[in-house]
């Protein structure tokens, strides 16, 4: 059985791994495919991709 990782709520802004500026908002763009909706999450400063999310139609 996997060990549970502890979670802690924080009050500081995360930092972009690309430009190292604080991120106070995240921009996103929806990419439609035949079966799923894919979302690209980007840094508002350098516009580099931070991650991808997938959802059903």
């Amino acid at each position: 059985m996997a060990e549970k990782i502890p979670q802690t709520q924080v009050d500081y802004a995360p930092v972009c791994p690309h430009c190292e500026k604080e991120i106070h908002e995240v921009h996103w763009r929806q990419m439609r495919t035949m079966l799923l909706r894919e979302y690209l999450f980007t840094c508002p400063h350098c516009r580099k991709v931070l991650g991808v999310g997938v959802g059903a139609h």
Side-chain angles (χ1 to χ4, degrees), residues 1-54:
M1 190 171 201
E3 185 177 335
K4 189 172 183 178
I5 298 173
Q7 299 178 19
T8 303
Q9 184 174 349
V10 296
D11 62 352
Y12 55 82
V15 176
C16 174
H18 305 288
C19 68
E20 298 187 354
K21 292 184 180 177
E22 285 189 355
I23 298 174
H24 296 281
E25 68 180 24
V26 174
H27 293 180
W28 61 274
R29 179 178 182 162
Q30 183 177 342
M31 310 293 283
R32 286 194 176 218
T33 62
M34 293 296 289
L35 299 174
L36 300 173
R37 290 183 183 163
E38 297 177 345
Y39 299 91
L40 294 177
F41 298 97
T42 61
C43 171
H45 306 291
C46 67
R47 301 187 334 186
K48 291 187 178 176
V49 175
L50 299 172
V52 178
V54 179

